[in-house]
Amino acid sequence: MSGAVFDHPWLSGLFGDADMAELLSGPRQMTHMLTFEAAWSRACGAAGIFDPELAEQAAEAIARAQIDFDDIKAGMAADGVPIPRLVKQLKALAPPEAVHKGATSQDVVDTALVMTLREGSLLIGGQLMALETHLKALEAKFGDAPLMGRTRMQAATEITVRDRLLSWRLPIKDHLVTLDQKRADVEKLQIGGASGDRKALGDKADQVMAEMAKALNLAPNDKAWHAMRHGIAGYASFLSLVTGSLGKIGQDIALMSQQGIETISISGGGRSSAMPHKQNPVAAELLVTLAKFNAAQVSAMHQAVVHEKERSGTAWSLEWMVLPQMLMATARALKTANTLVQNITWIGDKQA
Amino acid sequence: MSGAVFDHPWLSGLFGDADMAELLSGPRQMTHMLTFEAAWSRACGAAGIFDPELAEQAAEAIARAQIDFDDIKAGMAADGVPIPRLVKQLKALAPPEAVHKGATSQDVVDTALVMTLREGSLLIGGQLMALETHLKALEAKFGDAPLMGRTRMQAATEITVRDRLLSWRLPIKDHLVTLDQKRADVEKLQIGGASGDRKALGDKADQVMAEMAKALNLAPNDKAWHAMRHGIAGYASFLSLVTGSLGKIGQDIALMSQQGIETISISGGGRSSAMPHKQNPVAAELLVTLAKFNAAQVSAMHQAVVHEKERSGTAWSLEWMVLPQMLMATARALKTANTLVQNITWIGDKQA
Amino acid sequence: MSGAVFDHPWLSGLFGDADMAELLSGPRQMTHMLTFEAAWSRACGAAGIFDPELAEQAAEAIARAQIDFDDIKAGMAADGVPIPRLVKQLKALAPPEAVHKGATSQDVVDTALVMTLREGSLLIGGQLMALETHLKALEAKFGDAPLMGRTRMQAATEITVRDRLLSWRLPIKDHLVTLDQKRADVEKLQIGGASGDRKALGDKADQVMAEMAKALNLAPNDKAWHAMRHGIAGYASFLSLVTGSLGKIGQDIALMSQQGIETISISGGGRSSAMPHKQNPVAAELLVTLAKFNAAQVSAMHQAVVHEKERSGTAWSLEWMVLPQMLMATARALKTANTLVQNITWIGDKQA
Amino acid sequence: MSGAVFDHPWLSGLFGDADMAELLSGPRQMTHMLTFEAAWSRACGAAGIFDPELAEQAAEAIARAQIDFDDIKAGMAADGVPIPRLVKQLKALAPPEAVHKGATSQDVVDTALVMTLREGSLLIGGQLMALETHLKALEAKFGDAPLMGRTRMQAATEITVRDRLLSWRLPIKDHLVTLDQKRADVEKLQIGGASGDRKALGDKADQVMAEMAKALNLAPNDKAWHAMRHGIAGYASFLSLVTGSLGKIGQDIALMSQQGIETISISGGGRSSAMPHKQNPVAAELLVTLAKFNAAQVSAMHQAVVHEKERSGTAWSLEWMVLPQMLMATARALKTANTLVQNITWIGDKQA
């Protein structure tokens, strides 16, 4: 255990999100990789690249394979990717001539990633919709209440609670639209083979692509995106924009919670070890922290778009370090925002 | 002169772009701000908020106003925005009761920004299309030539030049689609007044919005986006993805230009002060530099989405520091890429 | 398990470092926190703030306390810090009047962090020294060999292997000097109490500080650094400079490994799932990836220096998310560099 | 004019700093480069590499050379560096055999940079000392006043104004110590020649180094630091830590200025175009903005430490884009902080 907050024995209580962690867990990623390999065997069987019967045998064996993670871990340091060892394990369980041939590590790892992103997108989409609903409910309850508008933190002119809440809710609505665009940008099959040209598939490339698309429900495409990473980085940008908008909500709430301002009341809230009476806006602050975190990470994802030639070991593995964390931070922020918004018991200026 | 590369007496020879610089220049920004103020006077005149005749007089006076930039500069440090001084200047030239009333600094500055982004988007869009064309031409010329594929910088399997060029061109095609999405996200009127609630316009808010939308050809909207900055940050992300994709082209070319690899020939190229015979892949390297630059800047733009309450002085002015530079870097990268691609005289493995 | 690479079931084979992970593990952090609390009881006993006998009882009970991590985790989400629950657990095991009183969450968490940094610094220092040694050995072996110098990736003039190796080794030497400076900057007691003013300690503050400094072997100071985070961010900058220098080594080696350049030979190296004959410079690439990763993270640590008033929940917890990862990345990079440099079997131009 | 805030016709009123801009201006940079070239001619003359008489003639001609910046700008795009054209101009004015020979572009540009940094460090050091003085004066005036401590923005326990002011002042003191360390890290001669090995100087390298060190008052060294950029990036980190600490002061002041909190009074302050009565904490906000800006830029400087082989065109020119801006932001922040602190007319809780 490396001290990473999402999995930490106690810090995960603040930063962790069990649902997204499940989607990003090793076993689930492995399931996606096995799903790819099984579908691959079948698709190559259907296309006549593999013997169809052996292909079916392989697919079935792959589907029920028990993978030795420690062996794969041992291979990571040497190979930089998990697939050589995984394939070796699979070939011991299934007809080797009907396993993986024609595919490459990046096909498996990226397609599995895309399957993870699809699941993550559903989680995020659901949370965004819930947040929109909770914000509407808040508006219905307190929208008409007067509230001193604050520009540059200074009292400006009186607005209504609705005015501020709209600046919380409308971005969520926009993010739901963007999510659909981004899903279309990333939910694409990754099939290229050794140097990304599908040459190993010969004239069966289109058929294999079609079979795989059907099996995995991912968009087929004319060219592997091994070295074209703007889609992934664009997805990461979306995540950071979501946490940015939630950070704005958190920042507002933390400011509104200050004694002397006190234009919001929240049930729950944090204790202090030195001052047991004190109530800290922990959830609101967490939204700001997660926004700042993702805003730093997004830079790494953009650096990784410079992906040299047919495959960059450096840029690709930088994505592995960063993107899962951005998903975790986004999921945690959304869940925190949903709870926080529901815990608001009053919003508006104190009555005179 | 602060040493900023885009305007530097000689560094601008490498980093500058005259066309984008013109769009970002003070005088042009001022024109947009005056366009806003003139349209505002007329719109408020049409809505009966201002006396229509005075409004027309004001609009005409504003349109031909000679602005004293030094006075505005003097106001910046005190006010943090140019508008109080600008309005004071305008009121000296035009019927004061028909100037700016009901609007706020952010309405003017953000709407002017959006007009700049529209012009910038056209420039970028045109350059993206040109690049797509030049890359297609390159493909037509050299696409069939054999080329050793390189994964993790290592020789992998033979591909064709077309395979590599597709990883250069297809992202450009995608960016053109994204540009349209992003334009829709940002080309929106900014009208909110003091605290962003349009209250100063009373029941004429919708009419003013409609008149302004018509006059400025920007999308009307139900709520000022003063404190909702995901659109602007999303646009910045787009810029960085573009330079990222161009950085990939540059990185590839720099690597291909190495003696010992030599799978590309380019006319032109850089001299060395110590080795006059040497030819450096300056343009290719510049693409990598600009990609890394924007990938760092994009982080600041995402940090700025956390925009507190009705207006954040800190987050808003952070955008001013960063976004123009990203536009400059993107424009320069596109122009450099267009020239560089046209200067390619050979691409592919050396014949044995 | 959240997909974080350092703890991932197989990705940790590439990214993980068992030694640093041990230092950053929850149990070890807890040991530091208990060490603080036990020393605190004794110091307050010695100063007469606590009853000395009860204080000693408390210290002994704290030292052998079995902490329920799940309980603390449950408290994290509500409190934003682990200490309220920890103190509650300790008070159930020890005389409550001689536990924690006068201290605050940040005193415990930051002092424990500093104890972690001290251990981490030793690990890093040792690895830096080993690397310096291995680089010297390499120089002794191959230093005189001719090597074509490369500027802007282009062949320039012939240098010796020594010339390039010096640009790998001299930064390491500098980093060892900087490490000492940075250790002095951070290895400081954090004692402030509720609002950081040590008021709860009355006129015994200096004595408590002295006792704690002796017990924990950390520098005493006149003022808690709760809200002064430049030391921590400066330490993070140091980590990123180290990985930057190692990234330069990695980048050089990856470039030197290219077929057509081939000025280095390395034993070991990565396999490909599609091309079993291929050898990938995985370790060299990893150094580049870790450098880019830390260069992004360092931005977050600098953002966190803006730490409002007496304690910022947002800035402080941003450090928790980022600093442990930077330590992990640095440790992994150092170990990788040490192995990689020892695996070099040849460096220099191929003989004609 | 590219819209860059530091030179902008009116935004520079908020962001610009005339003193640092002067240090970073093209003409001053050119003076440093000419100083290098003149010293180089003399040093090589003294060492007998150049004919001493011609060398002296050359040095004198270089010292009074009128440089055509447009010509150099024209060379930048092609060469990526200003020196080939500069040398050509100089050779037209001076005995060509006694000009530049044995040096390379990076020697000139980096040594000139270091001369700029030395001047910038003096400016920064002076401002840091002034700020320390002003903060001490503030403490003398208001230090004993009671102030409600705020942790996580919430009222905690009463402290004194001194307690908060110490968290503003002590980091400044630390930064002055660090400035000395960083100056030692960067104020080093850059002399390497074509591939950085000083081979062109033969056995006169040490003598040339000694002469240059004496002439330019910069530290001699055993190896050119062409490809070792941790010193420069460490200096950039220092700048960002300074603005971070000033950002903390600004954030505190902005929060203290809120109506309802009102624990600070400041003379001057910003106007609003919509609410002429309103006073905005513009200077305080600017400090936060500049901190966030530098915290993003520092990431680019760390990315640039990965500097391939003997010279990286990409990493080196990334420094050019970023470091001058960080110097400008730091200078502006320091001057703003100094003014702001002097404008404080009251600090502390309002008396009951």
Side-chain angles (χ1 to χ4, degrees):
Chain A
M1 295 302 299
S2 71
V5 292
F6 303 118
D7 305 313
H8 191 278
W10 60 84
L11 294 178
S12 61
L14 184 62
F15 296 101
D17 180 81
D19 295 326
M20 188 59 87
E22 166 63 20
L23 300 185
L24 295 167
S25 69
R28 186 124 174 175
Q29 291 177 312
M30 184 53 72
T31 302
H32 294 322
M33 296 203 289
L34 295 177
T35 300
F36 178 96
E37 294 286 8
W40 184 259
S41 292
R42 283 198 181 98
C44 290
I49 298 174
F50 297 166
D51 175 276
E53 205 166 317
L54 290 180
E56 183 54 32
Q57 275 176 40
E60 281 168 27
I62 290 168
R64 54 172 195 270
Q66 293 298 317
I67 300 303
D68 175 355
F69 287 2
D70 285 341
D71 173 65
I72 293 181
K73 177 177 171 176
M76 273 305 300
D79 304 332
V81 275
I83 306 304
R85 292 284 182 116
L86 175 63
V87 169
K88 203 176 163 202
Q89 288 189 36
L90 295 179
K91 284 184 173 170
L93 302 166
E97 59 272 53
V99 171
H100 187 75
K101 219 184 107 193
T104 193
S105 287
Q106 197 166 2
D107 295 341
V108 189
V109 171
D110 277 347
T111 303
L113 168 65
V114 159
M115 291 192 245
T116 298
L117 292 183
R118 178 168 50 195
E119 294 183 340
S121 291
L122 292 177
L123 195 60
I124 287 167
Q127 292 282 335
L128 283 168
M129 282 190 289
L131 185 54
E132 206 187 357
T133 301
H134 296 316
L135 286 167
K136 276 185 186 162
L138 205 59
E139 204 179 313
K141 253 196 196 158
F142 304 116
D144 297 329
L147 181 68
M148 177 51 72
R150 293 252 176 181
T151 55
R152 295 173 169 269
M153 294 203 189
Q154 294 289 300
T157 58
E158 194 188 275
I159 58 173
T160 63
V161 166
R162 173 168 296 104
D163 289 309
R164 187 166 295 162
L165 289 181
L166 282 171
S167 74
W168 297 3
R169 178 166 64 79
L170 295 179
I172 306 307
K173 201 176 151 189
D174 289 348
H175 292 316
L176 279 162
V177 174
T178 304
L179 177 57
D180 280 341
Q181 296 169 348
K182 295 298 155 186
R183 289 191 57 182
D185 288 348
V186 297
E187 293 183 13
K188 293 177 173 170
L189 266 184
Q190 178 69 289
I191 293 179
S195 295
D197 61 359
R198 300 181 186 163
K199 202 197 271 179
L201 303 174
D203 58 4
K204 304 294 176 57
D206 288 350
Q207 190 184 345
V208 170
M209 180 58 75
E211 297 278 349
M212 290 294 284
K214 202 169 55 185
L216 304 181
N217 191 25
L218 291 170
N221 46 69
D222 290 335
K223 170 76 187 163
W225 46 276
H226 286 170
M228 301 185 278
R229 313 304 291 187
H230 57 290
I232 295 293
Y235 189 90
S237 303
F238 160 74
L239 296 176
S240 176
L241 294 177
V242 169
T243 48
S245 295
L246 302 182
K248 186 259 188 293
I249 300 177
Q251 185 69 282
D252 281 359
I253 293 176
L255 289 167
M256 293 165 82
S257 301
Q258 296 169 99
Q259 290 93 342
I261 310 280
E262 290 156 308
T263 47
I264 199 162
S265 297
I266 296 165
S267 62
R271 270 163 303 177
S272 150
S273 78
M275 295 163 287
H277 64 281
K278 198 163 160 262
Q279 220 206 13
N280 290 316
V282 170
E285 289 176 310
L286 179 60
L287 293 180
V288 179
T289 301
L290 295 169
K292 290 182 177 179
F293 178 75
N294 267 358
Q297 305 309 317
V298 81
S299 175
M301 291 299 296
H302 280 247
Q303 297 286 1
V305 177
V306 180
H307 190 109
E308 69 266 17
K309 292 189 173 170
E310 279 60 67
R311 182 168 313 129
S312 166
T314 62
W316 189 30
S317 51
L318 185 56
E319 295 175 8
W320 307 344
M321 298 188 79
V322 172
L323 188 54
Q325 300 201 48
M326 294 187 73
L327 286 162
M328 283 301 295
T330 306
R332 179 59 187 181
L334 279 165
K335 212 167 280 179
T336 300
N338 266 306
T339 305
L340 179 59
V341 164
Q342 289 175 276
N343 282 348
I344 294 174
T345 55
W346 167 249
I347 184 164
D349 285 337
K350 283 171 295 190
Q351 272 110 342
Chain B
M1 295 303 300
S2 71
V5 292
F6 302 118
D7 304 313
H8 190 279
W10 60 83
L11 295 177
S12 60
L14 184 61
F15 296 101
D17 180 80
D19 295 326
M20 188 60 87
E22 166 62 21
L23 300 185
L24 294 168
S25 69
R28 186 122 171 177
Q29 291 177 312
M30 184 53 72
T31 301
H32 294 323
M33 297 204 288
L34 293 177
T35 300
F36 177 95
E37 294 285 8
W40 184 257
S41 292
R42 283 199 182 96
C44 290
I49 298 174
F50 297 167
D51 173 274
E53 206 167 314
L54 292 179
E56 183 54 32
Q57 276 177 39
E60 282 168 26
I62 290 168
R64 54 171 194 269
Q66 293 298 316
I67 300 304
D68 175 354
F69 287 2
D70 286 340
D71 173 66
I72 293 180
K73 177 177 171 177
M76 274 304 299
D79 304 331
V81 274
I83 306 305
R85 292 283 182 115
L86 175 63
V87 168
K88 204 177 160 201
Q89 288 189 36
L90 295 180
K91 284 185 175 172
L93 301 168
E97 59 271 53
V99 171
H100 187 74
K101 221 183 106 193
T104 193
S105 287
Q106 198 167 2
D107 295 341
V108 188
V109 172
D110 277 348
T111 303
L113 168 67
V114 159
M115 292 191 246
T116 299
L117 293 183
R118 177 169 51 194
E119 294 183 340
S121 291
L122 292 177
L123 195 60
I124 288 166
Q127 291 282 335
L128 284 168
M129 283 189 289
L131 184 56
E132 206 187 357
T133 301
H134 296 316
L135 287 167
K136 276 185 186 163
L138 205 61
E139 203 180 313
K141 254 195 196 159
F142 304 115
D144 296 330
L147 180 68
M148 177 52 71
R150 292 254 176 179
T151 56
R152 296 173 169 270
M153 295 202 190
Q154 293 290 300
T157 59
E158 193 188 275
I159 58 173
T160 64
V161 167
R162 172 168 296 104
D163 289 310
R164 187 166 296 164
L165 288 181
L166 282 172
S167 74
W168 296 3
R169 178 166 64 78
L170 294 179
I172 306 306
K173 201 177 152 190
D174 289 349
H175 292 316
L176 278 163
V177 174
T178 304
L179 177 57
D180 280 340
Q181 296 169 348
K182 295 297 155 187
R183 288 192 59 181
D185 288 347
V186 298
E187 293 184 12
K188 291 175 175 172
L189 267 184
Q190 178 68 291
I191 294 180
S195 294
D197 61 359
R198 299 181 187 164
K199 201 197 271 177
L201 302 174
D203 58 4
K204 304 294 176 56
D206 288 351
Q207 190 183 343
V208 170
M209 180 58 77
E211 297 278 348
M212 291 293 285
K214 202 169 56 184
L216 304 181
N217 192 25
L218 291 171
N221 47 69
D222 291 334
K223 169 78 188 161
W225 46 277
H226 287 170
M228 300 185 277
R229 314 304 291 186
H230 57 291
I232 295 292
Y235 189 90
S237 303
F238 160 74
L239 295 176
S240 177
L241 294 177
V242 169
T243 47
S245 295
L246 302 182
K248 185 258 187 293
I249 299 176
Q251 185 69 281
D252 281 359
I253 293 177
L255 288 167
M256 294 165 81
S257 300
Q258 296 169 99
Q259 290 94 340
I261 310 280
E262 291 157 311
T263 47
I264 198 163
S265 298
I266 295 166
S267 61
R271 271 162 303 177
S272 150
S273 79
M275 294 164 286
H277 63 282
K278 196 165 162 259
Q279 221 207 12
N280 290 316
V282 171
E285 289 176 310
L286 179 60
L287 294 180
V288 179
T289 300
L290 294 169
K292 290 183 177 178
F293 179 75
N294 267 358
Q297 305 308 318
V298 80
S299 176
M301 291 300 295
H302 280 247
Q303 297 286 0
V305 177
V306 180
H307 189 110
E308 68 267 15
K309 293 191 173 168
E310 278 61 66
R311 183 169 313 127
S312 166
T314 60
W316 189 28
S317 50
L318 185 57
E319 294 176 8
W320 306 345
M321 298 188 79
V322 172
L323 188 54
Q325 300 199 50
M326 294 186 73
L327 286 161
M328 283 300 295
T330 306
R332 179 59 187 178
L334 280 165
K335 212 166 284 180
T336 301
N338 267 306
T339 306
L340 179 60
V341 164
Q342 288 175 277
N343 283 347
I344 294 174
T345 55
W346 167 249
I347 183 165
D349 284 338
K350 283 172 296 189
Q351 274 109 340
Chain C
M1 295 303 299
S2 71
V5 293
F6 302 118
D7 304 314
H8 190 280
W10 60 85
L11 294 178
S12 61
L14 184 61
F15 296 100
D17 180 79
D19 295 326
M20 188 60 86
E22 166 62 21
L23 300 185
L24 294 168
S25 70
R28 187 124 174 174
Q29 291 177 312
M30 184 52 72
T31 302
H32 294 322
M33 297 203 289
L34 293 177
T35 300
F36 177 95
E37 294 286 8
W40 184 258
S41 292
R42 281 199 183 97
C44 290
I49 298 174
F50 298 164
D51 174 276
E53 204 166 316
L54 291 180
E56 183 54 32
Q57 275 177 39
E60 282 168 25
I62 290 168
R64 53 172 196 270
Q66 294 298 316
I67 301 304
D68 174 354
F69 287 2
D70 286 340
D71 173 64
I72 293 181
K73 177 178 170 174
M76 274 303 300
D79 303 333
V81 275
I83 306 304
R85 292 283 183 116
L86 175 64
V87 168
K88 204 177 161 200
Q89 289 188 36
L90 295 179
K91 284 184 173 172
L93 301 167
E97 59 271 54
V99 172
H100 187 75
K101 219 183 106 193
T104 193
S105 288
Q106 197 166 3
D107 295 341
V108 188
V109 171
D110 277 348
T111 303
L113 168 66
V114 159
M115 291 192 246
T116 299
L117 292 183
R118 178 168 51 195
E119 295 183 339
S121 291
L122 291 176
L123 194 60
I124 288 166
Q127 291 283 335
L128 283 168
M129 282 189 290
L131 184 55
E132 206 186 358
T133 301
H134 297 314
L135 286 167
K136 274 184 186 162
L138 204 60
E139 202 179 314
K141 254 196 194 157
F142 305 115
D144 297 329
L147 180 67
M148 177 52 70
R150 293 253 176 179
T151 56
R152 296 175 168 267
M153 295 203 189
Q154 294 290 300
T157 59
E158 193 187 275
I159 59 174
T160 64
V161 166
R162 173 169 296 102
D163 290 308
R164 187 166 296 164
L165 288 181
L166 282 171
S167 72
W168 298 1
R169 178 166 63 79
L170 295 179
I172 306 306
K173 200 177 153 191
D174 289 349
H175 292 316
L176 278 162
V177 174
T178 303
L179 177 57
D180 280 341
Q181 295 169 348
K182 295 297 155 188
R183 288 192 59 181
D185 288 347
V186 297
E187 293 183 13
K188 292 176 174 171
L189 266 185
Q190 178 69 291
I191 294 180
S195 296
D197 61 359
R198 299 181 186 163
K199 202 197 271 178
L201 302 174
D203 59 4
K204 305 294 177 58
D206 287 351
Q207 191 183 345
V208 171
M209 180 59 75
E211 296 279 349
M212 291 293 285
K214 203 170 55 185
L216 304 181
N217 192 25
L218 291 170
N221 46 69
D222 291 334
K223 170 77 187 163
W225 47 277
H226 287 169
M228 301 185 277
R229 314 304 292 185
H230 56 291
I232 296 291
Y235 188 89
S237 304
F238 159 75
L239 296 176
S240 176
L241 294 177
V242 169
T243 48
S245 295
L246 303 182
K248 187 258 187 295
I249 300 176
Q251 184 69 281
D252 281 359
I253 293 176
L255 289 167
M256 294 166 81
S257 301
Q258 297 169 97
Q259 290 94 340
I261 310 281
E262 290 152 300
T263 47
I264 198 163
S265 298
I266 296 166
S267 62
R271 271 162 303 176
S272 151
S273 78
M275 295 163 285
H277 63 281
K278 197 163 162 261
Q279 219 206 13
N280 290 315
V282 170
E285 290 176 310
L286 179 60
L287 294 180
V288 179
T289 300
L290 294 169
K292 291 182 176 180
F293 179 76
N294 267 358
Q297 305 309 316
V298 81
S299 176
M301 291 299 295
H302 280 247
Q303 297 286 1
V305 177
V306 180
H307 189 110
E308 67 267 16
K309 292 187 173 171
E310 279 61 67
R311 183 168 313 129
S312 166
T314 61
W316 189 29
S317 51
L318 184 57
E319 294 176 8
W320 307 345
M321 298 188 79
V322 171
L323 189 54
Q325 300 200 49
M326 294 187 73
L327 286 161
M328 283 300 296
T330 307
R332 178 60 187 180
L334 279 164
K335 211 166 283 179
T336 301
N338 266 307
T339 307
L340 179 59
V341 163
Q342 289 174 277
N343 282 348
I344 293 173
T345 55
W346 167 250
I347 184 165
D349 285 337
K350 284 171 295 190
Q351 273 110 341
Chain D
M1 296 301 299
S2 72
V5 292
F6 302 119
D7 305 313
H8 191 280
W10 59 85
L11 294 178
S12 60
L14 183 62
F15 296 101
D17 180 81
D19 295 327
M20 188 59 87
E22 167 62 21
L23 300 185
L24 295 168
S25 69
R28 187 127 176 170
Q29 291 177 311
M30 183 53 71
T31 302
H32 294 323
M33 297 203 289
L34 294 177
T35 300
F36 177 96
E37 294 286 8
W40 184 259
S41 292
R42 284 198 181 95
C44 290
I49 299 175
F50 297 165
D51 173 275
E53 204 166 317
L54 291 180
E56 183 54 31
Q57 276 176 41
E60 282 168 27
I62 290 169
R64 54 172 195 270
Q66 294 298 316
I67 300 303
D68 175 355
F69 287 3
D70 286 340
D71 173 65
I72 293 181
K73 177 177 170 175
M76 274 303 301
D79 304 331
V81 276
I83 306 305
R85 293 282 183 117
L86 175 64
V87 169
K88 203 178 163 201
Q89 288 188 36
L90 295 179
K91 283 184 175 172
L93 302 166
E97 59 272 52
V99 171
H100 186 76
K101 221 184 104 190
T104 193
S105 287
Q106 197 165 4
D107 295 341
V108 189
V109 171
D110 277 348
T111 302
L113 168 66
V114 158
M115 292 191 244
T116 298
L117 292 183
R118 177 168 51 194
E119 294 183 339
S121 292
L122 291 176
L123 194 61
I124 287 166
Q127 292 282 334
L128 284 169
M129 282 189 288
L131 184 56
E132 206 186 358
T133 301
H134 296 316
L135 286 167
K136 275 184 186 162
L138 205 60
E139 203 179 313
K141 255 196 194 158
F142 304 116
D144 296 331
L147 180 68
M148 177 52 70
R150 293 253 176 179
T151 56
R152 296 175 170 268
M153 295 204 188
Q154 294 289 299
T157 60
E158 194 187 276
I159 59 174
T160 64
V161 166
R162 172 169 295 104
D163 289 309
R164 187 165 296 163
L165 288 181
L166 282 171
S167 74
W168 296 4
R169 179 166 64 79
L170 295 179
I172 306 306
K173 201 177 151 188
D174 288 349
H175 292 317
L176 278 162
V177 174
T178 304
L179 176 57
D180 280 341
Q181 296 169 348
K182 294 298 154 186
R183 288 192 59 181
D185 288 347
V186 297
E187 293 182 13
K188 292 177 175 171
L189 267 184
Q190 177 69 290
I191 294 179
S195 295
D197 61 0
R198 300 180 186 165
K199 200 197 273 178
L201 303 174
D203 58 3
K204 304 293 176 57
D206 288 350
Q207 190 182 345
V208 170
M209 180 59 76
E211 297 279 349
M212 290 293 285
K214 202 170 55 185
L216 304 181
N217 192 26
L218 290 170
N221 45 69
D222 291 335
K223 169 76 187 162
W225 46 277
H226 286 170
M228 301 185 277
R229 313 304 292 185
H230 57 291
I232 295 292
Y235 188 89
S237 303
F238 159 74
L239 296 176
S240 177
L241 294 177
V242 169
T243 47
S245 295
L246 302 182
K248 186 259 188 296
I249 299 177
Q251 185 69 282
D252 281 0
I253 293 177
L255 289 168
M256 294 166 82
S257 300
Q258 296 169 98
Q259 289 94 342
I261 310 280
E262 290 152 302
T263 48
I264 199 163
S265 298
I266 296 166
S267 62
R271 270 162 303 175
S272 151
S273 78
M275 295 163 286
H277 64 282
K278 198 165 162 258
Q279 222 207 11
N280 290 316
V282 170
E285 290 176 309
L286 179 60
L287 294 179
V288 179
T289 301
L290 295 168
K292 291 182 177 179
F293 179 76
N294 267 357
Q297 305 309 317
V298 81
S299 175
M301 291 299 296
H302 280 247
Q303 297 286 1
V305 177
V306 180
H307 189 110
E308 69 267 17
K309 293 189 172 170
E310 280 59 68
R311 182 168 314 128
S312 166
T314 62
W316 189 29
S317 50
L318 185 57
E319 295 177 7
W320 307 345
M321 297 188 79
V322 172
L323 189 55
Q325 300 200 50
M326 294 187 73
L327 286 161
M328 283 300 295
T330 306
R332 178 60 188 181
L334 279 164
K335 212 166 283 180
T336 300
N338 267 306
T339 306
L340 179 61
V341 163
Q342 289 175 275
N343 282 347
I344 293 175
T345 55
W346 167 249
I347 184 165
D349 285 338
K350 282 171 297 189
Q351 274 109 341

